[in-house]
Amino acid sequence: ELHFKESLKLANENKHPWAAAYALCGLGRSKMGSGQHQAAMRYFLDAASIVKDLYNQEMALVVIAGIANLLLDLGKIEAAIELAVFVEGQPFSWKETKAQVKRVMEASVSTTTLSPVLLSAAMQRGRKREIWQTIDQLLEGGFAEVWRTA
């Protein structure tokens, strides 16, 4: 976590928003790992705001991948799978980003909490998503019912 805080500080000092967004995603993953879901959510949403301003698709997918993992940790498997399928299907998604959603995709195979119908519907919605609409939806609280339990 300290590494990402230092990276964020340097990125802000040097007016490098792309690096700031990447550091915020790292902080989000770090907070998620320690069970601090509200803090993780805030970092991911702060990063989402930056990447929207930058209009950087690759970094937007890093944000969405982080949120997909956060949703999985919160037990929101259907929403997590939807976002993970979206990230995995994007041609401009980095290998590292696809690796970050691998855990969610594996959960989709092993889940017993979702019926096959709900699982299929989540995957279908993920395939139909559009990147900037997804970022806007996240920033506008489109997953508000999910965040209430965070």
mmCIF file of all heavy atoms in Angstrom, residues 119-149:
data_model
loop_
_atom_site.group_PDB
_atom_site.id
_atom_site.type_symbol
_atom_site.label_atom_id
_atom_site.label_comp_id
_atom_site.label_asym_id
_atom_site.label_seq_id
_atom_site.Cartn_x
_atom_site.Cartn_y
_atom_site.Cartn_z
ATOM 1 N N LEU A 119 -26.634 -16.590 -14.431
ATOM 2 C CA LEU A 119 -25.238 -16.557 -14.866
ATOM 3 C C LEU A 119 -25.158 -16.216 -16.353
ATOM 4 O O LEU A 119 -24.393 -15.329 -16.755
ATOM 5 C CB LEU A 119 -24.558 -17.896 -14.582
ATOM 6 C CG LEU A 119 -23.116 -18.036 -15.046
ATOM 7 C CD1 LEU A 119 -22.224 -17.018 -14.348
ATOM 8 C CD2 LEU A 119 -22.623 -19.455 -14.787
ATOM 9 N N SER A 120 -25.957 -16.876 -17.150
ATOM 10 C CA SER A 120 -25.974 -16.622 -18.586
ATOM 11 C C SER A 120 -26.392 -15.185 -18.884
ATOM 12 O O SER A 120 -25.807 -14.524 -19.747
ATOM 13 C CB SER A 120 -26.923 -17.608 -19.263
ATOM 14 O OG SER A 120 -26.999 -17.341 -20.640
ATOM 15 N N ALA A 121 -27.391 -14.683 -18.158
ATOM 16 C CA ALA A 121 -27.858 -13.309 -18.365
ATOM 17 C C ALA A 121 -26.765 -12.302 -18.015
ATOM 18 O O ALA A 121 -26.575 -11.315 -18.738
ATOM 19 C CB ALA A 121 -29.109 -13.049 -17.533
ATOM 20 N N ALA A 122 -26.041 -12.542 -16.918
ATOM 21 C CA ALA A 122 -24.952 -11.642 -16.526
ATOM 22 C C ALA A 122 -23.865 -11.628 -17.590
ATOM 23 O O ALA A 122 -23.336 -10.564 -17.941
ATOM 24 C CB ALA A 122 -24.371 -12.074 -15.182
ATOM 25 N N MET A 123 -23.542 -12.794 -18.118
ATOM 26 C CA MET A 123 -22.510 -12.870 -19.149
ATOM 27 C C MET A 123 -22.965 -12.167 -20.428
ATOM 28 O O MET A 123 -22.182 -11.447 -21.052
ATOM 29 C CB MET A 123 -22.149 -14.329 -19.417
ATOM 30 C CG MET A 123 -21.490 -14.981 -18.220
ATOM 31 S SD MET A 123 -21.178 -16.724 -18.493
ATOM 32 C CE MET A 123 -19.392 -16.679 -18.538
ATOM 33 N N GLN A 124 -24.222 -12.326 -20.765
ATOM 34 C CA GLN A 124 -24.754 -11.668 -21.954
ATOM 35 C C GLN A 124 -24.729 -10.139 -21.789
ATOM 36 O O GLN A 124 -24.358 -9.415 -22.713
ATOM 37 C CB GLN A 124 -26.170 -12.161 -22.229
ATOM 38 C CG GLN A 124 -26.717 -11.686 -23.553
ATOM 39 C CD GLN A 124 -28.042 -12.345 -23.883
ATOM 40 O OE1 GLN A 124 -28.727 -12.892 -23.020
ATOM 41 N NE2 GLN A 124 -28.430 -12.293 -25.134
ATOM 42 N N ARG A 125 -25.122 -9.661 -20.613
ATOM 43 C CA ARG A 125 -25.076 -8.210 -20.363
ATOM 44 C C ARG A 125 -23.639 -7.704 -20.449
ATOM 45 O O ARG A 125 -23.388 -6.624 -20.981
ATOM 46 C CB ARG A 125 -25.664 -7.881 -18.989
ATOM 47 C CG ARG A 125 -27.172 -7.962 -18.918
ATOM 48 C CD ARG A 125 -27.721 -7.371 -17.621
ATOM 49 N NE ARG A 125 -27.086 -7.886 -16.426
ATOM 50 C CZ ARG A 125 -27.460 -8.986 -15.771
ATOM 51 N NH1 ARG A 125 -28.484 -9.706 -16.197
ATOM 52 N NH2 ARG A 125 -26.814 -9.364 -14.685
ATOM 53 N N GLY A 126 -22.695 -8.485 -19.928
ATOM 54 C CA GLY A 126 -21.292 -8.093 -19.990
ATOM 55 C C GLY A 126 -20.788 -7.962 -21.415
ATOM 56 O O GLY A 126 -20.040 -7.033 -21.738
ATOM 57 N N ARG A 127 -21.203 -8.855 -22.273
ATOM 58 C CA ARG A 127 -20.779 -8.816 -23.679
ATOM 59 C C ARG A 127 -21.356 -7.595 -24.408
ATOM 60 O O ARG A 127 -20.794 -7.147 -25.404
ATOM 61 C CB ARG A 127 -21.203 -10.082 -24.408
ATOM 62 C CG ARG A 127 -20.357 -11.299 -24.074
ATOM 63 C CD ARG A 127 -20.727 -12.455 -24.995
ATOM 64 N NE ARG A 127 -20.607 -13.759 -24.405
ATOM 65 C CZ ARG A 127 -21.417 -14.335 -23.516
ATOM 66 N NH1 ARG A 127 -22.455 -13.692 -23.055
ATOM 67 N NH2 ARG A 127 -21.205 -15.543 -23.082
ATOM 68 N N LYS A 128 -22.463 -7.074 -23.926
ATOM 69 C CA LYS A 128 -23.132 -5.951 -24.596
ATOM 70 C C LYS A 128 -22.705 -4.584 -24.047
ATOM 71 O O LYS A 128 -23.109 -3.560 -24.594
ATOM 72 C CB LYS A 128 -24.653 -6.099 -24.459
ATOM 73 C CG LYS A 128 -25.209 -7.255 -25.243
ATOM 74 C CD LYS A 128 -26.705 -7.343 -25.053
ATOM 75 C CE LYS A 128 -27.286 -8.486 -25.860
ATOM 76 N NZ LYS A 128 -28.736 -8.602 -25.648
ATOM 77 N N ARG A 129 -21.947 -4.565 -22.997
ATOM 78 C CA ARG A 129 -21.574 -3.293 -22.370
ATOM 79 C C ARG A 129 -20.712 -2.441 -23.293
ATOM 80 O O ARG A 129 -20.037 -2.951 -24.169
ATOM 81 C CB ARG A 129 -20.816 -3.539 -21.067
ATOM 82 C CG ARG A 129 -21.728 -3.902 -19.936
ATOM 83 C CD ARG A 129 -20.985 -3.803 -18.598
ATOM 84 N NE ARG A 129 -21.963 -3.757 -17.546
ATOM 85 C CZ ARG A 129 -22.620 -2.658 -17.168
ATOM 86 N NH1 ARG A 129 -22.371 -1.515 -17.731
ATOM 87 N NH2 ARG A 129 -23.508 -2.711 -16.196
ATOM 88 N N GLU A 130 -20.722 -1.160 -23.022
ATOM 89 C CA GLU A 130 -19.871 -0.187 -23.701
ATOM 90 C C GLU A 130 -19.034 0.484 -22.622
ATOM 91 O O GLU A 130 -19.524 0.770 -21.524
ATOM 92 C CB GLU A 130 -20.753 0.821 -24.446
ATOM 93 C CG GLU A 130 -20.014 1.690 -25.440
ATOM 94 C CD GLU A 130 -19.303 2.867 -24.795
ATOM 95 O OE1 GLU A 130 -19.798 3.428 -23.787
ATOM 96 O OE2 GLU A 130 -18.221 3.222 -25.292
ATOM 97 N N ILE A 131 -17.794 0.742 -22.932
ATOM 98 C CA ILE A 131 -16.838 1.167 -21.903
ATOM 99 C C ILE A 131 -17.231 2.475 -21.208
ATOM 100 O O ILE A 131 -17.235 2.553 -19.989
ATOM 101 C CB ILE A 131 -15.407 1.221 -22.473
ATOM 102 C CG1 ILE A 131 -14.416 1.346 -21.323
ATOM 103 C CG2 ILE A 131 -15.238 2.332 -23.488
ATOM 104 C CD1 ILE A 131 -13.018 0.960 -21.687
ATOM 105 N N TRP A 132 -17.560 3.510 -21.969
ATOM 106 C CA TRP A 132 -17.805 4.807 -21.319
ATOM 107 C C TRP A 132 -19.170 4.848 -20.652
ATOM 108 O O TRP A 132 -19.344 5.531 -19.648
ATOM 109 C CB TRP A 132 -17.576 5.956 -22.304
ATOM 110 C CG TRP A 132 -16.152 5.915 -22.764
ATOM 111 C CD1 TRP A 132 -15.696 5.658 -24.026
ATOM 112 C CD2 TRP A 132 -14.996 6.028 -21.936
ATOM 113 N NE1 TRP A 132 -14.329 5.616 -24.018
ATOM 114 C CE2 TRP A 132 -13.863 5.848 -22.759
ATOM 115 C CE3 TRP A 132 -14.789 6.262 -20.577
ATOM 116 C CZ2 TRP A 132 -12.563 5.897 -22.275
ATOM 117 C CZ3 TRP A 132 -13.485 6.317 -20.086
ATOM 118 C CH2 TRP A 132 -12.401 6.135 -20.931
ATOM 119 N N GLN A 133 -20.112 4.099 -21.152
ATOM 120 C CA GLN A 133 -21.392 3.991 -20.451
ATOM 121 C C GLN A 133 -21.206 3.264 -19.123
ATOM 122 O O GLN A 133 -21.841 3.608 -18.123
ATOM 123 C CB GLN A 133 -22.417 3.256 -21.318
ATOM 124 C CG GLN A 133 -22.887 4.076 -22.489
ATOM 125 C CD GLN A 133 -23.774 3.277 -23.427
ATOM 126 O OE1 GLN A 133 -23.846 2.066 -23.376
ATOM 127 N NE2 GLN A 133 -24.452 3.990 -24.322
ATOM 128 N N THR A 134 -20.302 2.272 -19.112
ATOM 129 C CA THR A 134 -20.031 1.538 -17.878
ATOM 130 C C THR A 134 -19.358 2.447 -16.857
ATOM 131 O O THR A 134 -19.756 2.469 -15.684
ATOM 132 C CB THR A 134 -19.153 0.296 -18.164
ATOM 133 O OG1 THR A 134 -19.855 -0.545 -19.085
ATOM 134 C CG2 THR A 134 -18.840 -0.468 -16.895
ATOM 135 N N ILE A 135 -18.368 3.211 -17.295
ATOM 136 C CA ILE A 135 -17.697 4.156 -16.388
ATOM 137 C C ILE A 135 -18.708 5.172 -15.862
ATOM 138 O O ILE A 135 -18.754 5.455 -14.654
ATOM 139 C CB ILE A 135 -16.503 4.843 -17.091
ATOM 140 C CG1 ILE A 135 -15.355 3.838 -17.325
ATOM 141 C CG2 ILE A 135 -16.009 6.051 -16.294
ATOM 142 C CD1 ILE A 135 -14.666 3.328 -16.065
ATOM 143 N N ASP A 136 -19.537 5.718 -16.745
ATOM 144 C CA ASP A 136 -20.557 6.677 -16.303
ATOM 145 C C ASP A 136 -21.510 6.039 -15.301
ATOM 146 O O ASP A 136 -21.865 6.650 -14.286
ATOM 147 C CB ASP A 136 -21.364 7.214 -17.496
ATOM 148 C CG ASP A 136 -20.588 8.216 -18.326
ATOM 149 O OD1 ASP A 136 -19.565 8.747 -17.842
ATOM 150 O OD2 ASP A 136 -20.997 8.453 -19.484
ATOM 151 N N GLN A 137 -21.924 4.823 -15.579
ATOM 152 C CA GLN A 137 -22.839 4.129 -14.676
ATOM 153 C C GLN A 137 -22.203 3.960 -13.293
ATOM 154 O O GLN A 137 -22.857 4.176 -12.272
ATOM 155 C CB GLN A 137 -23.218 2.767 -15.259
ATOM 156 C CG GLN A 137 -24.205 2.014 -14.397
ATOM 157 C CD GLN A 137 -24.508 0.631 -14.949
ATOM 158 O OE1 GLN A 137 -23.772 0.090 -15.765
ATOM 159 N NE2 GLN A 137 -25.594 0.056 -14.477
ATOM 160 N N LEU A 138 -20.936 3.596 -13.260
ATOM 161 C CA LEU A 138 -20.247 3.444 -11.976
ATOM 162 C C LEU A 138 -20.156 4.774 -11.235
ATOM 163 O O LEU A 138 -20.421 4.850 -10.038
ATOM 164 C CB LEU A 138 -18.845 2.861 -12.187
ATOM 165 C CG LEU A 138 -18.814 1.416 -12.695
ATOM 166 C CD1 LEU A 138 -17.421 1.052 -13.170
ATOM 167 C CD2 LEU A 138 -19.298 0.465 -11.617
ATOM 168 N N LEU A 139 -19.807 5.827 -11.962
ATOM 169 C CA LEU A 139 -19.656 7.148 -11.340
ATOM 170 C C LEU A 139 -20.994 7.733 -10.886
ATOM 171 O O LEU A 139 -21.044 8.493 -9.925
ATOM 172 C CB LEU A 139 -18.960 8.113 -12.300
ATOM 173 C CG LEU A 139 -17.481 7.837 -12.526
ATOM 174 C CD1 LEU A 139 -16.946 8.689 -13.670
ATOM 175 C CD2 LEU A 139 -16.684 8.071 -11.245
ATOM 176 N N GLU A 140 -22.058 7.384 -11.585
ATOM 177 C CA GLU A 140 -23.376 7.922 -11.251
ATOM 178 C C GLU A 140 -24.125 7.058 -10.249
ATOM 179 O O GLU A 140 -25.301 7.297 -9.982
ATOM 180 C CB GLU A 140 -24.197 8.082 -12.529
ATOM 181 C CG GLU A 140 -23.625 9.126 -13.471
ATOM 182 C CD GLU A 140 -24.231 9.083 -14.861
ATOM 183 O OE1 GLU A 140 -25.153 8.265 -15.104
ATOM 184 O OE2 GLU A 140 -23.769 9.862 -15.714
ATOM 185 N N GLY A 141 -23.449 6.058 -9.701
ATOM 186 C CA GLY A 141 -24.095 5.211 -8.702
ATOM 187 C C GLY A 141 -24.989 4.150 -9.284
ATOM 188 O O GLY A 141 -25.911 3.680 -8.612
ATOM 189 N N GLY A 142 -24.739 3.750 -10.525
ATOM 190 C CA GLY A 142 -25.549 2.752 -11.185
ATOM 191 C C GLY A 142 -25.530 1.393 -10.503
ATOM 192 O O GLY A 142 -26.396 0.570 -10.714
ATOM 193 N N PHE A 143 -24.527 1.183 -9.664
ATOM 194 C CA PHE A 143 -24.456 -0.055 -8.890
ATOM 195 C C PHE A 143 -24.749 0.255 -7.435
ATOM 196 O O PHE A 143 -24.269 -0.418 -6.534
ATOM 197 C CB PHE A 143 -23.079 -0.704 -9.033
ATOM 198 C CG PHE A 143 -22.873 -1.393 -10.343
ATOM 199 C CD1 PHE A 143 -22.514 -0.690 -11.477
ATOM 200 C CD2 PHE A 143 -23.044 -2.773 -10.457
ATOM 201 C CE1 PHE A 143 -22.320 -1.335 -12.692
ATOM 202 C CE2 PHE A 143 -22.866 -3.421 -11.661
ATOM 203 C CZ PHE A 143 -22.491 -2.695 -12.786
ATOM 204 N N ALA A 144 -25.564 1.269 -7.187
ATOM 205 C CA ALA A 144 -25.823 1.740 -5.820
ATOM 206 C C ALA A 144 -26.337 0.628 -4.906
ATOM 207 O O ALA A 144 -25.958 0.570 -3.733
ATOM 208 C CB ALA A 144 -26.811 2.907 -5.830
ATOM 209 N N GLU A 145 -27.168 -0.242 -5.448
ATOM 210 C CA GLU A 145 -27.694 -1.325 -4.604
ATOM 211 C C GLU A 145 -26.573 -2.242 -4.144
ATOM 212 O O GLU A 145 -26.644 -2.824 -3.070
ATOM 213 C CB GLU A 145 -28.784 -2.120 -5.343
ATOM 214 C CG GLU A 145 -28.285 -2.995 -6.486
ATOM 215 C CD GLU A 145 -27.929 -2.242 -7.772
ATOM 216 O OE1 GLU A 145 -28.165 -1.023 -7.858
ATOM 217 O OE2 GLU A 145 -27.411 -2.867 -8.701
ATOM 218 N N VAL A 146 -25.535 -2.334 -4.928
ATOM 219 C CA VAL A 146 -24.372 -3.147 -4.556
ATOM 220 C C VAL A 146 -23.557 -2.425 -3.500
ATOM 221 O O VAL A 146 -23.137 -3.006 -2.502
ATOM 222 C CB VAL A 146 -23.519 -3.451 -5.807
ATOM 223 C CG1 VAL A 146 -22.226 -4.132 -5.415
ATOM 224 C CG2 VAL A 146 -24.305 -4.289 -6.793
ATOM 225 N N TRP A 147 -23.337 -1.136 -3.685
ATOM 226 C CA TRP A 147 -22.467 -0.382 -2.774
ATOM 227 C C TRP A 147 -23.088 -0.269 -1.379
ATOM 228 O O TRP A 147 -22.369 -0.138 -0.409
ATOM 229 C CB TRP A 147 -22.184 1.004 -3.312
ATOM 230 C CG TRP A 147 -21.530 1.033 -4.663
ATOM 231 C CD1 TRP A 147 -21.849 1.859 -5.684
ATOM 232 C CD2 TRP A 147 -20.442 0.217 -5.141
ATOM 233 N NE1 TRP A 147 -21.045 1.605 -6.773
ATOM 234 C CE2 TRP A 147 -20.178 0.614 -6.459
ATOM 235 C CE3 TRP A 147 -19.682 -0.811 -4.584
ATOM 236 C CZ2 TRP A 147 -19.180 0.015 -7.231
ATOM 237 C CZ3 TRP A 147 -18.692 -1.398 -5.356
ATOM 238 C CH2 TRP A 147 -18.447 -0.986 -6.646
ATOM 239 N N ARG A 148 -24.404 -0.300 -1.285
ATOM 240 C CA ARG A 148 -25.038 -0.164 0.035
ATOM 241 C C ARG A 148 -24.576 -1.249 0.997
ATOM 242 O O ARG A 148 -24.594 -1.049 2.190
ATOM 243 C CB ARG A 148 -26.563 -0.218 -0.092
ATOM 244 C CG ARG A 148 -27.147 1.095 -0.508
ATOM 245 C CD ARG A 148 -28.668 1.066 -0.402
ATOM 246 N NE ARG A 148 -29.179 1.880 -1.480
ATOM 247 C CZ ARG A 148 -29.790 1.433 -2.554
ATOM 248 N NH1 ARG A 148 -30.025 0.160 -2.711
ATOM 249 N NH2 ARG A 148 -30.194 2.263 -3.473
ATOM 250 N N THR A 149 -24.160 -2.384 0.478
ATOM 251 C CA THR A 149 -23.734 -3.484 1.344
ATOM 252 C C THR A 149 -22.230 -3.479 1.571
ATOM 253 O O THR A 149 -21.717 -4.319 2.275
ATOM 254 C CB THR A 149 -24.151 -4.842 0.747
ATOM 255 O OG1 THR A 149 -23.492 -5.015 -0.511
ATOM 256 C CG2 THR A 149 -25.653 -4.926 0.590
#
